[in-house]
Amino acid sequence: MASSAVRLAPSDRLLLIRLGAVGDVLRTLPALHLIRRSFPKVHLAWIVEDRSRELLEGHPEIDEVIRFPRQELRRNVSRPLRLAASLAEFRRSLRERRFSVALDAQGSFKSGVVAALSGARRRVGLAGGHSRELSFLFTNERVRPPETPVNRVERSLFLSDALGAAGDEVEMVLPAESPEEGRKAEAIITMAAPGGEPVALLFPGASRRQAYKKWPAVRYGLLAADLRRAQGASPLVCWGPGEEELAGAVVAASGGSGVMAPCLGLKLFASLLRRSAVFVGGDTGPMHLAWGVGCPVVALFGPTDPRLNAPLGPGHIVVRRGPAMDSIPEEEVFSAARSVLLRPRPALGPARAPRLSREALFGGPARVAR
């Protein structure tokens, strides 16, 4: 049985801490949604690093986005006096905001230090064994999820449960699409598919630290050629900073079947996903953004566990053959993408995001020990 949650009060000021990776920030948004829906008057701030900040700026459920000064702190690591001064300034900035509750949704040493520096009386986070780097030592209310593997979205919902934020919906709310973003996305779609063909968005990249999640570029190229030849789809190869050469290798391997997209920001990429028929890529942030906005996903998994990281909702397909990404055959990925493309095409556009049920996805609210 779960212990009773200590609910937030309307006067509370909540600091949500999820600092870094795009996919992790995205998978915390459903917890944010339940907190905001349950406590509309609470002042809610989110502290985040630059690489994911675009996803939160202008977010309708966040009162304040606080930038975590990662680069400034890193520059001063070898200069103890300057580092101490930077930390003192960061601490002062947080404490001026008078947070009463800090929610550590990351569970790392860095996020634990942020919770402590915030000065919040209540510091809620994951218990030992479910967090990393002894971060639980910085919290005074600890949530212990079940010992069985759970999807990372569900794990973030356990933390919102601890604040008394109840609800069945699992929804990834994002900042509204601007008219300019819509126009740019439509222009890219028209460039890739001038005849109105369905667009298959291929994303071969992964972060530098997670290169083991990449499927070989030549197989993406073969997939692009097969999708155009056998299915009449227009493969659009997307990429992030530093991945232009990789995307070019995919287009070259496709024999000209693939079209290379420009480098896109996260919000414009979301607009493109809303207008695409299928997304094919590894276990990365873009894959989570795809299912979050309602684009059907063919997710390629190797060493990471689909039980923790699979796309949520109906209609997605996970392809996994073993711990190595190069063990996944191109024919199997093509078959999965083809089955998605053969379905009736849903309405595309900015209002495509799904509303998912927690009961249907996970069997209902968890019983979490604290």
Side-chain angles (χ1 to χ4, degrees):
M1 293 288 293
S3 61
S4 58
V6 180
R7 292 175 58 84
L8 295 175
S11 60
D12 272 322
R13 296 177 61 83
L14 171 66
L15 176 65
L16 197 158
I17 306 165
R18 186 81 225 196
L19 301 173
V22 168
D24 293 332
V25 167
L26 288 166
R27 289 181 288 176
T28 308
L29 288 174
L32 165 75
H33 175 62
L34 289 187
I35 294 169
R36 173 53 77 205
R37 203 206 64 167
S38 300
F39 306 107
K41 295 185 178 179
V42 164
H43 179 87
L44 200 158
W46 187 319
I47 185 165
V48 68
E49 295 177 3
D50 286 333
R51 55 182 161 167
S52 301
R53 188 163 50 143
E54 184 183 353
L55 293 168
L56 304 180
E57 295 284 3
H59 195 289
E61 298 180 333
I62 301 175
D63 295 305
E64 180 183 15
V65 177
I66 301 172
R67 176 181 175 270
F68 179 74
R70 176 180 179 178
Q71 300 302 324
E72 293 86 335
L73 294 174
R74 175 175 284 184
R75 280 198 301 268
N76 291 328
V77 164
S78 60
R79 303 169 180 176
L81 293 179
R82 290 191 181 184
L83 179 61
S86 296
L87 285 171
E89 173 60 24
F90 178 54
R91 175 181 180 273
R92 183 193 62 76
S93 174
L94 290 179
R95 298 208 170 193
E96 281 180 346
R97 292 171 165 89
R98 301 187 180 280
F99 292 113
S100 54
V101 183
L103 182 65
D104 181 0
Q106 182 159 318
S108 68
F109 179 81
K110 182 167 58 176
S111 61
V113 169
V114 172
L117 292 176
S118 74
R121 177 179 52 84
R122 293 181 64 192
R123 299 183 302 281
V124 182
L126 294 166
H130 299 273
S131 55
R132 300 177 287 121
E133 302 165 348
L134 301 178
S135 64
F136 67 92
L137 296 177
F138 297 99
T139 59
N140 53 22
E141 295 182 29
R142 295 162 189 161
V143 175
R144 186 176 298 279
E147 298 302 325
T148 55
V150 295
N151 190 281
R152 295 306 188 206
V153 171
E154 187 181 14
R155 190 175 72 168
S156 74
L157 293 173
F158 296 157
L159 293 169
S160 60
D161 288 340
L163 300 179
D168 181 57
E169 61 263 50
V170 176
E171 188 171 351
M172 190 185 288
V173 177
L174 292 166
E177 177 182 290
S178 71
E180 181 181 6
E181 288 161 352
R183 286 192 295 270
K184 287 181 177 179
E186 294 284 359
I188 295 170
I189 292 291
T190 300
M191 177 270 297
E197 306 90 345
V199 170
L201 199 158
L202 312 184
F203 196 94
S207 69
R208 190 172 302 172
R209 291 175 58 187
Q210 297 184 324
Y212 55 84
K213 294 182 178 182
K214 293 180 181 179
W215 196 45
V218 67
R219 295 193 193 172
Y220 274 108
L222 293 173
L223 174 65
D226 284 345
L227 287 172
R228 186 175 290 278
R229 174 186 54 79
Q231 205 54 44
S234 292
L236 180 63
V237 183
C238 291
W239 49 285
E243 296 175 339
E244 185 173 7
E245 184 176 346
L246 174 62
V250 172
V251 172
S254 76
S257 293
V259 177
M260 189 164 168
C263 189
L264 307 171
L266 290 169
K267 289 183 66 179
L268 182 52
F269 185 61
S271 297
L272 198 61
L273 285 165
R274 295 182 181 108
R275 294 162 173 82
S276 298
V278 64
F279 170 95
V280 182
D283 174 20
T284 63
M287 183 272 283
H288 295 294
L289 186 57
W291 70 256
V293 302
C295 180
V297 169
V298 175
L300 313 182
F301 275 79
T304 53
D305 189 343
R307 292 175 297 177
L308 310 182
N309 303 307
L312 295 183
H316 308 302
I317 300 175
V318 170
V319 181
R320 192 189 197 201
R321 277 295 188 94
M325 291 294 288
D326 60 8
S327 67
I328 301 173
E330 183 271 329
E331 296 84 358
E332 190 168 343
V333 181
F334 169 71
S335 177
R338 181 175 183 271
S339 70
V340 173
L341 290 168
L342 287 173
R343 299 172 191 162
R345 293 179 66 183
L348 307 182
R352 192 179 181 185
R355 288 173 172 79
L356 307 175
S357 162
R358 188 173 180 182
E359 176 72 34
L361 290 172
F362 309 126
R367 294 189 295 273
V368 183
R370 283 158 47 106

